[in-house]
Amino acid sequence: SVDEVAEHFRKEIEEGIAPMNVGLDENVTEGIKAGVIGELGMTFPLHPNEEKVLRAGGKAQAMTGVGLTVHVAVFKKEAHLYLNILEEEGANFDKIYLSHMDGSCSDIDYHMSVMDRGVIIDYDLFRNTPSNDSYKLFDGDHWVTDDERVDCIVKLCEQGYEKYLMLSQDNCLKINLKKYGGDGLDYIDRIIIPKLREKGVTEKQIRTMLV
C-alpha cells in the first residue's frame, strides 16, 4: 500500500537502510541513512504502481523533510500530474526537482508553468546529438538538440527563472565518457557554458544554475 511504501522510505531516512551483504566482508549499508527520496521513475501513461510510489514519496517527504526527485516521462508533458499527486500527499515543493525536463524544453511556457509552482527543473540530457529534425526516438518524439536547450535556457534566464533551473549531465553509459569516444564529464563546462555566455547569460546566473 501507499502507507507501507511511505513507511519503508521513512525508516531508511530516519533509522537507516537495512544491512545489505553484497559479498564483501561487512554489510555495506549498515549505519547509512538515505538523504533523498528518488529518483522516482515515471512512464507514460502513468502506471498504478508508479502512482503508488509517487504518493508514498510525497507522504514520506512530508514526514521527513528531505529532498525528492522525480524522473519524468521524458518527452511527455506530465509534470503537473506528478505535482498534483505530490501536493495531495503534503509534499514540500521547495524540496522537489524534476529530472530530464529538457526533453520537452521547446515548450517554454510549459516549463515556466511548472517552475511557477515553486519546483526546480533539471536540464540534464545534454549530449552532442544531431542538430536536424530527422533524429527521432521512441514514438517519433524529437530528441531535443543542445542548441535548442541553450536557447530555452537563455529565454528562461531573461525571464528570471535561473533559480528554478539546474544544469547537469545524465551520463549513465560508458560511451558518454571520453575514454569510450564520448564527450566526457566536462561537456557542459567546455561546450555549453561558453554558448550561454555568448548569448548574454550572466556569470551569476550560470553559477546559480550549476552550484
Side-chain angles (χ1 to χ4, degrees), residues 7-21:
E7 175 60 12
H8 174 77
F9 288 161
R10 185 205 63 77
K11 290 181 70 173
E12 293 207 333
I13 293 163
E14 296 185 341
E15 301 175 20
I17 300 170
M20 182 187 302
N21 192 317

Side-chain angles (χ1 to χ4, degrees), residues 80-100:
H80 288 295
L81 171 62
Y82 311 145
L83 295 179
N84 291 342
I85 291 171
L86 290 169
E87 189 172 48
E88 289 172 6
E89 301 300 335
N92 177 7
F93 282 9
D94 288 341
K95 292 191 174 183
I96 292 174
Y97 85 86
L98 306 181
S99 302
H100 318 315

